[in-house]
Structures are given as structure tokens and as C-alpha cells.
Amino acid sequence: MIDRRAELGLWIPRLETILISRGVLSDDGELVAQVGSRFPKDVEDALDGFIENPIELMGLLKICRDACDGRPLSPAVLMAAHLMTREVLQALEAAGAIDFKH
């Protein structure tokens, strides 16, 4: 059985590192004010069809952080966060942003 919380625990720091390097997140994991409601072009292109704007991304990150912290989540929410996080990381990898191995 897949331990979705454990995998998210591995993926989220990697995702945050990439988003920090792309200017989407600050060093403390918060949305950079200049980003506003649009991603930088390279991130927008990579995430097209997965995540529409930085606010949606922050929602996904919050759910993932909650999962990693052991907060209660429904199985459906945990599964969706796991799937979306994997897809986002793979999309960034395809765009040349990271090397994702799952």
C-alpha cells in the first residue's frame, strides 16, 4: 500500500525548492507578492492544465502540509493531493525545472 503522506513529505520540500527558485514562493514558503494572480511564464507553461493560478497552488500546498503534519484529511482529499502533487512535479520535470523520481 502506498503511504501517500510519506510520499508527500518527500515531494513537498522538493516542490517548494523549485517554486522558490522560480520566484513563486519566498524562502519561508509564502507566495511572493509580485507573483500576484499569475505565474512566471515558464511555470505557467509547465503547469498549464494542472494548476491555473498561484492561489490554487497555495491551496494544494496547504493540504499537502496538513497531510505531512498528520492533520486529519479524508481519504479522497489525501488521494487527490497526492495525485496533483505528483502531476505538478512531473510537469515541472518535463519543462526542465527538476528531476522528479517517484
Side-chain angles (χ1 to χ4, degrees):
M1 177 177 224
I2 297 172
D3 185 344
R4 288 180 173 81
R5 288 180 189 264
E7 283 192 333
L8 286 172
L10 298 172
W11 296 346
I12 291 306
R14 294 166 63 189
L15 179 57
E16 288 175 336
T17 298
I18 291 303
L19 295 172
I20 290 168
S21 74
R22 295 290 189 244
V24 175
L25 297 181
S26 64
D27 288 336
D28 61 357
E30 297 299 320
L31 191 61
V32 172
Q34 299 93 309
V35 170
S37 62
R38 297 202 50 149
F39 288 117
K41 183 69 172 140
D42 62 331
V43 175
E44 182 178 351
D45 290 345
L47 297 183
D48 186 38
F50 295 108
I51 302 284
E52 295 301 317
N53 59 60
I55 301 304
E56 285 182 18
L57 179 65
M58 293 308 294
L60 176 62
L61 289 174
K62 181 188 180 323
I63 291 168
C64 292
R65 290 170 183 154
D66 286 350
C68 294
D69 290 342
R71 292 191 179 95
L73 296 172
S74 73
V77 169
L78 182 59
M79 187 176 296
H82 183 266
L83 175 65
M84 283 299 298
T85 303
R86 184 179 69 218
E87 294 296 322
V88 165
L89 284 168
Q90 288 174 337
L92 290 170
E93 178 187 40
I98 62 170
D99 182 25
F100 175 65
K101 303 287 188 250
H102 59 283

